Amino acid sequence: MSGKLWAGRFSKQLDSTVNDFNSSIRFDSRMYRQDITASIAHADMLAKCGIIEADDAKKIKKGLKSILEDLESGALSIDFTAEDIHTFVEATLTERIGEAGKKLHTARSRNDQVAVDFKLTLRDEAEEISELVTSLIEVLCKSAKKYSDTVMPGYTHLQRAQPITFGHALMAYAMMFLRDKSRLDDWRRRMNTSPLGSGALAGTTHPINREMTAKALGFSDYTHNSLDGVSDRDFAIELAGVLSIIMMHLSRFSEEIILWCSWEFKFIELDDAYATGSSMMPQKKNPDITELVRGKTGRVYGDLTTLLTMMKGLPLAYNKDMQEDKEAAFDALDTARLCLNVFIPMLETMTVNAENMRNAASKGFINATDCADYLVKKGMPFRTAYKLTGELVFYCIENNTTLEQLPLSTFRSFSELFDDGIYMAINLDECAKKRISHGGTAPESVLSQVEWVEKQIKK
Ligand code: ARG
């Protein structure tokens, strides 16, 4: 691409290293569709407001549409020596339609142009992320229904704590991803204002109609201060924040899956298509996907930190530092998309070893709380029942046995309140089944959680 659009004020061509350094087309060409769409809306508005001739606007729109078509079909390729996508599209337009092309940039600056393009692009791509998160929630709901009564140990401090159902554990993750979805919705509501018409920083003397372009581009409003309109990147930072939280959730889940796959747990097995082997150890089946997801989480946090740090020292209004926003935001989007795309089918195809979960649940005295509750229901104060059950557990450990295996006479030697009912009270299935409080681990509770979540995602 020969000649800069700002060449008039300069007496020399830009140094070629500086040209490469300054150029953003390598990464902002990703916004070509949004750039063209926004330019069409702008040209339309200019004509409707009598700022350019209707005939020129027609030529501009036709030219822009042909550029879009040719870029999509491959008939036109991006010129990577151009400064950025905005320059490339405008120069190509003028090459194609002549003088009329030179009128497109009336009442516009690249500063409001890049802000609107970037918002449109992030809005489109965040929508894809939201759809993926919905699919993930659907998979979790489906499995949770299937395993609503599969008993496993629930942990605190990674120590066996109380019996829970596997469906309950899966729904805990569904709740996290449901919040992520609502965070994406909130984000969209807040970011959805059009900066187009802010000009370079101060607005314009031309009689533009900002409402018209905002509406045409699907924004709910336009930005109400032009300095802020061109220099706000909160929307990129917030999105990277939301994506960081999604990654944090995926990473926690990954960590859990890695544990569940180990020989120490063996609660689940990943499908062969979603696990990998070792180059030396023939027996290995590694959960690489989950480890990569856990690892890539740091990368998205890095993108968030990049954006926050990039903005923190910037005075009003546009500063070139802000060109750094795109690579960070796009990397965060690409990473989250990549991770969700492998994570969902991996979850869908994993198999559950209910027997191992059950065996693990029967060790570790995870029904001790139920034993204490049993005594409470017989009239003993909780603190006393808690202490007595602790002594019973100690007795079991000393004698290498479990609460379920103790004869009634032993129970009664600790307290006269024990009768035959104790065995039902500490039966693991019963322990899970009884926790019917809202949000609890009982199968019926899990099923109503599934129903509630399914209703939320349909909204
Ligand atoms: N490539 C630039 C960016 O991404 C576009 C805006 C350029 N504006 C300017 N005043 N140099 O930020």
Side-chain angles (χ1 to χ4, degrees):
M1 187 150 290
S2 61
K4 290 282 176 240
L5 52 87
W6 34 260
R9 194 233 172 275
F10 289 77
S11 59
K12 270 187 189 174
Q13 286 228 338
L14 190 63
D15 176 88
S16 75
T17 317
V18 176
N19 190 53
D20 293 344
F21 181 69
N22 195 51
S23 162
S24 54
I25 195 153
R26 247 183 325 105
F27 44 87
D28 67 18
S29 54
R30 172 160 165 161
M31 310 193 295
Y32 72 88
R33 204 174 307 115
Q34 291 80 5
D35 187 76
I36 291 172
T37 308
S39 285
I40 289 175
H42 182 66
D44 240 343
M45 180 278 291
L46 289 178
K48 284 188 182 130
C49 295
I51 302 166
I52 63 171
E53 300 288 321
D55 197 44
D56 285 334
K58 216 168 138 189
K59 282 186 199 146
I60 291 173
K61 274 162 52 182
K62 204 170 152 219
L64 287 170
K65 281 182 187 157
S66 76
I67 294 173
L68 181 59
E69 265 169 38
D70 291 353
L71 281 173
E72 309 237 274
S73 73
L76 173 67
S77 37
I78 305 270
D79 173 4
F80 287 101
T81 65
E83 189 175 331
D84 53 33
I85 188 63
H86 326 294
T87 324
F88 170 75
V89 171
E90 191 185 327
T92 311
L93 179 70
T94 305
E95 257 167 45
R96 289 192 175 190
I97 67 164
E99 284 300 298
K102 297 183 184 169
K103 298 187 179 171
L104 170 63
H105 211 56
T106 312
R108 187 177 73 171
S109 156
R110 272 186 302 164
N111 297 348
D112 56 346
Q113 188 179 0
V114 72
V116 76
D117 290 4
F118 195 31
K119 276 194 171 179
L120 290 173
T121 309
L122 296 190
R123 201 177 68 185
D124 289 345
E125 299 201 17
E127 185 55 38
E128 281 176 58
I129 300 287
S130 181
E131 280 163 21
L132 283 168
V133 172
T134 306
S135 308
L136 175 56
I137 297 171
E138 282 165 356
V139 168
L140 286 168
C141 286
K142 203 172 144 203
S143 297
K145 267 188 237 171
K146 188 166 166 193
Y147 301 110
S148 64
D149 59 1
T150 305
V151 172
M152 69 182 281
Y155 298 80
T156 63
H157 314 272
L158 204 57
Q159 303 288 320
R160 289 175 193 168
Q162 288 182 343
I164 59 168
T165 52
F166 187 52
H168 191 214
L170 294 174
M171 286 315 288
Y173 286 101
M175 300 299 171
M176 298 180 209
F177 294 116
L178 187 64
R179 285 196 295 276
D180 291 332
K181 217 178 128 52
S182 106
R183 258 185 281 273
L184 284 168
D185 292 345
D186 292 345
W187 169 80
R188 190 193 151 106
R189 220 169 295 126
R190 190 160 39 252
M191 64 78 72
N192 204 24
T193 52
S194 170
L196 193 59
S198 297
L201 72 162
T204 174
T205 55
H206 295 287
I208 57 168
N209 184 331
R210 296 193 60 200
E211 202 179 336
M212 203 181 274
T213 44
K215 223 178 193 168
L217 296 171
F219 289 107
S220 56
D221 198 357
Y222 49 81
T223 56
H224 289 266
N225 178 298
S226 61
L227 291 166
D228 178 54
V230 289
S231 69
D232 164 40
R233 292 295 181 272
D234 291 3
F235 58 95
I237 296 172
E238 270 194 71
L239 180 60
V242 174
L243 294 171
S244 291
I245 297 176
I246 293 177
M247 290 302 299
M248 178 269 288
H249 290 152
L250 284 174
S251 184
R252 287 185 68 185
F253 204 176
S254 292
E255 172 64 19
E256 194 122 44
I257 290 171
I258 292 163
L259 288 172
W260 289 343
C261 284
S262 70
W263 276 104
E264 284 69 18
F265 284 77
K266 272 281 166 239
F267 287 177
I268 59 160
E269 187 168 348
L270 297 179
D271 189 84
D272 280 359
Y274 293 94
T276 47
S278 151
S279 64
M280 189 190 196
M281 301 167 281
Q283 84 285 10
K284 287 299 283 287
K285 182 169 171 184
N286 295 328
D288 281 27
I289 291 179
T290 42
E291 290 166 47
L292 267 174
V293 168
R294 195 175 56 183
K296 285 178 189 292
T297 301
R299 184 184 173 126
V300 177
Y301 293 0
D303 294 325
L304 172 62
T305 306
T306 297
L307 290 166
L308 283 168
T309 313
M310 181 268 285
M311 287 304 288
K312 78 181 257 296
L314 300 188
L316 291 173
Y318 177 84
N319 296 272
K320 188 76 169 192
D321 314 47
M322 288 158 68
Q323 181 166 283
E324 293 288 314
D325 58 4
K326 283 166 235 34
E327 282 166 295
F330 294 160
D331 182 72
L333 280 162
D334 289 341
T335 307
R337 188 188 300 109
L338 198 65
C339 291
L340 286 163
N341 267 324
V342 287
F343 205 89
I344 296 167
M346 180 200 72
L347 264 190
E348 246 179 328
T349 52
M350 77 183 186
T351 48
V352 171
N353 193 329
E355 204 184 309
N356 283 350
M357 287 183 178
R358 173 92 218 184
N359 287 340
S362 57
K363 286 168 215 131
F365 306 99
I366 64 178
N367 46 5
T369 313
D370 295 87
C371 179
D373 281 344
Y374 170 88
L375 292 170
V376 169
K377 282 170 192 160
K378 296 266 175 193
M380 191 181 278
F382 177 74
R383 215 23 95 205
T384 315
Y386 167 92
K387 181 164 177 277
L388 190 145
T389 306
E391 285 159 7
L392 265 168
V393 168
F394 185 76
Y395 175 88
C396 289
I397 294 169
E398 292 281 282
N399 293 281
N400 195 24
T401 183
T402 65
L403 290 173
E404 295 93 313
Q405 286 166 334
L406 288 182
L408 186 58
S409 56
T410 312
F411 274 116
R412 289 182 66 85
S413 71
F414 280 81
S415 166
E416 292 283 299
L417 290 175
F418 282 114
D419 62 31
D420 249 358
I422 181 62
Y423 295 105
M424 192 60 163
I426 60 172
N427 172 283
L428 289 175
D429 289 299
E430 291 304 314
C431 293
K433 241 194 245 168
K434 279 181 304 194
R435 288 183 162 77
I436 52 169
S437 50
H438 288 300
T441 206
E444 64 173 277
S445 227
V446 171
L447 294 177
S448 52
Q449 289 166 45
V450 171
E451 204 180 304
W452 182 79
V453 168
E454 284 177 339
K455 211 182 283 163
Q456 302 302 309
I457 53 175
K458 275 194 197 103
K459 270 187 195 162

